[in-house]
Amino acid sequence: MKVISVYGYSKSGKTTTVECLIKELNRRNYSVGTVKEIHYESFAIDTEGSNTHRHWKAGAELVCARGLYETDILFKKKLSIPEILKFYAQDYVILEGVTDFDVPKILCTSSIEDIQECLNPSVFAISGVISNKISRYDNLPVINAITDIERLTDLVEKAALDWMLIK
C-alpha cells in the first residue's frame, strides 16, 4: 500500500485534487482508499440522543452503525494515522488534510504566500487553485489536477511511500 497526503488551506483545491487522483488511479487499475482529516472541534458523526450515542453512554468501547448502504465504526478517540492505516488494504491511500504524518505530500494553495507559509521538505508537487497562475515554484512542479491529472498521477506513482515496507 502506498500513501501520500494532500494538504493546504480551506478552498485551495484539496478535495478536487484528491477526486481527480482517485479517478486517475482507478483508471490505471489501482484500488484507492482515503482518510479525510476534519479540523473542526465540534465535528462528530455520532450525535447526542442517537442510539449509537446511547450505546457509548452505556459503556460500549466500540460502536458500529450498520445501515443498508453504509457501515460506520465509531471510535471515541482520535486514532493515529498508523492505527487507521491498519484498516486499509488498497493499493493507494490518499490522506486529505493530514499534516502530522511524514509521507510525501502535495501542497494545494491559492497563492504564492500560502506556498511560502505551508511548504515543507516532504512536498513533491503543488496543485490546487495556484496552478491556474504558475507552473513551477522553485524546483517543484505546479500541476493543475483538472487539466493535467496524468502528469500529477505519474508523480504520485513515483513519490508515494510504500507503507508496508516501513511500518
Side-chain angles (χ1 to χ4, degrees), residues 101-144:
F101 190 60
D102 190 22
V103 293
K105 294 177 177 68
I106 297 170
L107 172 59
C108 290
T109 71
S110 300
S111 68
I112 290 176
E113 294 78 26
D114 288 351
I115 294 174
Q116 294 166 342
E117 190 173 315
C118 298
L119 190 63
N120 70 56
S122 62
V123 173
F124 66 90
I126 298 171
S127 191
V129 176
I130 192 71
S131 67
N132 295 317
K133 301 172 188 169
I134 62 173
S135 60
R136 244 184 140 57
Y137 182 85
D138 287 342
N139 63 338
L140 292 170
V142 179
I143 303 170
N144 186 311

Side-chain angles (χ1 to χ4, degrees), residues 150-162:
E150 295 85 5
R151 183 168 156 235
L152 186 58
T153 306
D154 290 345
L155 288 176
V156 166
E157 285 182 317
K158 291 176 187 161
L161 180 66
D162 191 338

Side-chain angles (χ1 to χ4, degrees), residues 15 27 34 37 62 70-71 77 80 112 114 153:
T15 301
R27 191 188 69 74
T34 64
E37 182 93 2
L62 184 63
E70 176 178 333
T71 301
K77 65 177 184 174
S80 69
I112 290 176
D114 288 351
T153 306

Side-chain angles (χ1 to χ4, degrees), residues 70-114:
E70 176 178 333
T71 301
D72 301 308
I73 299 175
L74 309 173
F75 294 88
K76 278 294 189 187
K77 65 177 184 174
K78 182 176 182 175
L79 298 180
S80 69
I81 294 298
E83 289 173 312
I84 293 169
L85 290 176
K86 289 178 184 177
F87 294 97
Y88 287 79
Q90 286 73 22
D91 299 317
Y92 282 87
V93 175
I94 302 171
L95 312 175
E96 182 182 338
V98 174
T99 58
D100 65 343
F101 190 60
D102 190 22
V103 293
K105 294 177 177 68
I106 297 170
L107 172 59
C108 290
T109 71
S110 300
S111 68
I112 290 176
E113 294 78 26
D114 288 351

Side-chain angles (χ1 to χ4, degrees), residues 44-65:
I45 291 175
D46 198 24
T47 57
E48 189 169 341
S50 67
N51 290 344
T52 54
H53 187 262
R54 291 171 63 188
H55 294 187
W56 285 118
K57 284 184 72 174
E61 292 179 15
L62 184 63
V63 175
C64 178

